Amino acid sequence: MDKVAVLIPCYNESKTVKKVVEDFRKALPEAAVYVYDNNSTDGTGDLAREVGAIVRHEYQQGKGNVIRRMFREIDAEVYVMVDGDDTYPAEAAPEMVRKVLEGQSDMVVGDRLSSTYYTENKRPFHNFGNSFVKNCINRFFDTNIQDIMTGYRAFSYQFVKTFPVLSHGFEIETEMSIHAADKHMQVDHVIIDYRDRPAGSVSKLNTYSDGFKVLTRILSLYKNYKPLGFFSLLAEILTALGVAFLIPILTEYWATGLVPRFPTLIVCGFVLIAALQSLFAGLVLQSMEQKNKQDFEMQLIAAHEAYKNLQKDEKEQEQ
C-alpha cells in the first residue's frame, strides 16, 4: 500500500504532463505518481513514463471511467487527484495530504473559486457554470463546498473504497461532492492559485454539452439522494396545475349548477391523483434511502477494517 498516491487522469496532455509529474514528484517525494492514459494519441503515456510516473491505461473513454479504474486498482493511505493540464499548483498538495492524515478529512477540495479562477479562466460560461453548480448543490444538499467542479482533490482510503463511481465523464466531480455531502463525510478546503492552460494545451471540456450533463446529473442525484424533496416538489407542481384548472370549473358549477367541461374535470382528477401518488412514492423511497445510509455506515466500518489490515500487513513485511 502506498503512503500517498498521486492520480493523474490524462487524455492527450503531451504539452503539460511531464511538468505535472515532475512538480508533484518534487512536492511529494514520498508519493507514487500514477498517470492513467485514456486512449491518448499524442504520446502522453510515454512522456509521463520518461519522468518517473507509473503509467497505466483505461480504454473506456471518459474521465469517470478513468477514476473508477484508479480507485479500484490502487491502495493508499492518501490519494491526491489532479488533472494533467498544469492548471493546479503542486505546492498545495502537502497541505491537502496533511489534512487527510492529521485532520481526518475524507475529502479535501482544492478551491479555485476563492482565489484566481475568475481572472485566470478565459471562458466566461465556465465561470458562470461553476458558480451556478456550486450554488445549486449547496442549496439542494445543505452543504458549503466552495468549489464543486475542481479537478484537484485529496481523499482518504475510506472515501475512495466506498465511493460508487456511476458517471462516465466530467460530471464525476459533481458526483463526488454530492456523495460527500449526503454521507456527512468531512470535507475541508485548501485555497489554491489556479492558472489557465498554457499555450498549445486544449481543454477537452465542452461548455454546453458537458454543462448539460452536469445539470442533468445534479437533478438525477437529487432524486436519488433526496427522494422525498424531489417527489414532494413534483407533487406540488401537479397539485398547482390541477387546482388551477379545477377552480374555473367549480366556480361555474357553483354559479350555474352545470359542468360543461367534463374532459377538463377528468384530467384534473387524474393530475391530482398523480400528485398524491408522487407524494407517497417520495415517502417510500425516503425510507429506502435511510436504509441505504445505514448500510453505507457498515461499509465504512468494513473499509476501515480493510485499511487497518493493509497497514498491519505492510508493517509485517517491513519487519
Side-chain angles (χ1 to χ4, degrees):
M1 182 172 66
D2 298 316
K3 178 75 171 179
V4 180
V6 177
L7 311 180
I8 309 175
C10 283
Y11 172 60
N12 287 343
E13 298 289 4
S14 61
K15 300 288 184 183
T16 55
V17 67
K18 290 180 73 173
K19 181 177 184 301
V20 173
V21 173
E22 290 172 337
D23 287 351
F24 276 87
R25 291 192 70 195
K26 186 183 299 182
L28 296 170
E30 75 280 16
V33 179
Y34 296 86
V35 170
Y36 273 69
D37 188 356
N38 193 206
N39 301 315
S40 297
T41 57
D42 61 354
T44 293
D46 294 332
L47 292 170
R49 193 178 288 109
E50 288 177 9
V51 290
I54 302 166
V55 178
R56 296 181 180 177
H57 296 271
E58 169 55 48
Y59 298 106
Q60 291 190 87
Q61 197 66 39
K63 189 174 183 180
N65 292 322
V66 178
I67 291 172
R68 181 189 297 110
R69 177 74 60 182
M70 289 174 163
F71 285 4
R72 183 190 307 162
E73 292 183 348
I74 297 172
D75 292 325
E77 293 187 38
V78 184
Y79 301 77
V80 177
M81 185 185 77
V82 65
D83 292 339
D85 55 9
D86 193 31
T87 58
Y88 300 106
E91 296 77 21
E95 175 65 11
M96 297 170 75
V97 169
R98 187 192 65 78
K99 284 183 176 292
V100 174
L101 288 177
E102 300 177 13
Q104 298 182 334
S105 295
D106 291 298
M107 181 173 73
V108 181
V109 174
D111 178 11
R112 311 160 297 166
L113 304 188
S114 299
S115 61
T116 57
Y117 183 78
Y118 294 110
T119 55
E120 282 289 318
N121 186 26
K122 305 303 187 295
R123 295 158 292 183
F125 283 108
H126 284 211
N127 296 343
F128 169 78
N130 272 277
S131 296
F132 181 74
V133 169
K134 181 186 81 169
N135 293 332
C136 283
I137 289 180
N138 287 335
R139 172 68 179 84
F140 289 161
F141 293 90
D142 191 26
T143 186
N144 191 33
I145 299 176
Q146 295 303 308
D147 192 346
I148 299 295
M149 300 180 68
T150 179
Y152 194 13
R153 301 169 190 250
F155 306 102
S156 67
Y157 178 90
Q158 286 83 355
F159 182 97
V160 166
K161 297 306 180 182
T162 59
F163 172 56
V165 181
L166 301 178
S167 299
H168 303 296
F170 285 100
E171 60 270 32
I172 184 65
E173 283 97 353
T174 304
E175 188 175 324
M176 287 176 174
S177 300
I178 292 175
H179 176 76
D182 181 72
K183 297 302 186 292
H184 304 292
M185 291 188 162
Q186 181 173 327
V187 178
D188 289 309
H189 299 80
V190 171
I191 296 176
I192 62 170
D193 291 327
Y194 176 87
R195 51 182 178 253
D196 205 6
R197 281 175 172 266
S201 177
V202 180
S203 173
K204 316 306 182 298
L205 182 65
N206 184 289
T207 302
Y208 301 103
S209 64
D210 287 311
F212 179 74
K213 289 178 184 177
V214 168
L215 293 177
T216 54
R217 191 67 188 146
I218 291 173
L219 187 62
S220 175
L221 290 172
Y222 182 67
K223 173 180 67 70
N224 294 337
Y225 285 128
K226 304 284 187 180
L228 183 58
F230 178 86
F231 285 102
S232 294
L233 179 61
L234 181 60
E236 290 175 5
I237 293 172
L238 291 173
T239 300
L241 288 172
V243 170
F245 285 96
L246 184 62
I247 287 176
I249 297 175
L250 293 177
T251 302
E252 189 170 352
Y253 173 75
W254 289 329
T256 64
L258 300 175
V259 183
R261 289 177 290 174
F262 268 105
T264 303
L265 178 63
I266 293 170
V267 170
C268 288
F270 279 116
V271 169
L272 292 174
I273 291 172
L276 190 60
Q277 289 178 324
S278 178
L279 179 61
F280 278 106
L283 290 169
V284 172
L285 291 173
Q286 188 67 38
S287 298
M288 295 174 64
E289 174 61 16
Q290 183 63 33
K291 178 64 167 60
N292 290 338
K293 288 183 177 180
Q294 294 171 351
D295 292 341
F296 178 78
E297 291 300 318
M298 301 307 296
Q299 293 174 26
L300 276 180
I301 294 172
H304 183 65
E305 290 299 320
Y307 174 70
K308 290 195 297 184
N309 290 334
L310 283 171
Q311 287 183 316
K312 181 180 177 181
D313 292 343
E314 188 171 353
K315 288 179 181 178
E316 290 176 352
Q317 291 175 2
E318 290 175 354
Q319 294 173 354

